[in-house]
Amino acid sequence: MKTLEEEFAQVQSRLDCIERNSSTPEGLDILEEGMLQAARSVSKDRQKWLAAIVGSSLSSESLKYEESRKLLNLYRELADPELIWLIYISEPQALNSSYHKKLMDQYPDILHPASRSYGRSQEEADRSALQDGYKNTLLRLGLATLKQNGQTLEISPLGRLLVRYISDGGADPES
C-alpha cells in the first residue's frame, strides 16, 4: 500500500516531467496540437482521451516526440465511434465478458450489431453502413486487422499503443 508521501512524490515527478518537456520545441508542438484538437472536441469522452494522450506524452521521463505526434495525428483522423470500436476490440472477446458488456451498455447505438437481414428498415441499413465505415477506417489506418475468418476485427500493435495512451483518460468502461 502506497503512503501519501509516495503518491505525492509520484505526482511531483510527473509534474516535473511535464514542465521540462513542455519547455522544449517538441513538447510545445504536442501541447499546441492537443489544444487545437481540444477546441474542436465536442464529446466529454473525446476531450478526456485527448487529455490522456497529451498528458501521457508530456509526463514521460523522455519525450517520445515522433510517437506522440503520430498518435495525435491518428487521433485527429478518428471519429468518436471509431475510437469506441478500437477500445472495444482492445480486449479479447470472451463469453460473458463484463468488459464488453459494459461498453455495449454504455454505447449501444455504436456497438450493438446492426441488422443485415433482407427487408430491414432504411435506418437499420444506414446504421449498418456506418458500422462498416467505422471498421474500415480502423483497418485503413492500421489500427486493426482482420482475423483469419475475414470478418472479425482484432487490434493491431499500433492500435494497442493508441489505446494504451488513452487508457489514462477513462477508456475502461469501469470509469
Side-chain angles (χ1 to χ4, degrees):
M1 195 179 204
K2 288 185 181 177
T3 66
L4 187 56
E5 292 161 348
E6 290 172 328
E7 286 186 39
F8 180 77
Q10 271 188 328
V11 169
Q12 186 61 49
S13 174
R14 283 190 79 186
L15 288 173
D16 291 344
C17 289
I18 291 171
E19 186 176 341
R20 183 179 61 250
N21 289 332
S22 296
S23 65
T24 66
E26 295 85 357
L28 285 173
D29 183 52
I30 297 293
L31 190 57
E32 182 179 288
E33 178 62 26
M35 289 170 41
L36 287 171
Q37 288 190 37
R40 291 185 225 114
S41 296
V42 177
S43 76
K44 292 291 182 198
D45 283 340
R46 187 169 196 85
Q47 294 167 0
K48 186 171 43 173
W49 296 332
L50 178 60
I53 293 172
V54 173
S56 294
S57 298
L58 295 177
S59 67
S60 63
E61 279 297 322
S62 62
L63 180 65
K64 297 177 183 172
Y65 175 71
E66 298 299 331
E67 179 178 296
S68 299
R69 191 66 189 168
K70 175 68 175 176
L71 295 176
L72 282 169
N73 289 339
L74 286 168
Y75 192 80
R76 184 181 344 102
E77 295 281 322
L78 296 169
D80 287 5
E82 293 158 344
L83 287 162
I84 292 164
W85 271 104
L86 185 65
I87 291 164
Y88 184 81
I89 66 170
S90 70
E91 291 291 322
Q93 292 267 353
L95 193 59
N96 298 322
S97 165
S98 63
Y99 178 85
H100 294 99
K101 182 182 179 341
K102 287 177 185 169
L103 281 171
M104 291 277 287
D105 290 346
Q106 191 173 358
Y107 305 105
D109 293 342
I110 296 167
L111 296 174
H112 189 270
S115 172
R116 298 186 183 285
S117 65
Y118 183 74
R120 65 189 175 198
S121 69
Q122 185 60 50
E123 182 180 341
E124 198 61 15
D126 294 346
R127 211 163 78 73
S128 177
L130 283 170
Q131 281 185 353
D132 289 346
Y134 301 148
K135 293 173 185 179
N136 287 334
T137 298
L138 295 177
L139 291 168
R140 180 179 55 83
L141 293 175
L143 299 170
T145 59
L146 286 174
K147 287 187 177 180
Q148 287 183 343
N149 67 13
Q151 296 182 12
T152 308
L153 286 181
E154 82 183 334
I155 196 162
S156 71
L158 183 59
R160 190 162 307 288
L161 179 63
L162 180 56
V163 169
R164 199 167 58 238
Y165 266 71
I166 67 175
S167 65
D168 286 340
D172 181 19
E174 299 277 341
S175 65

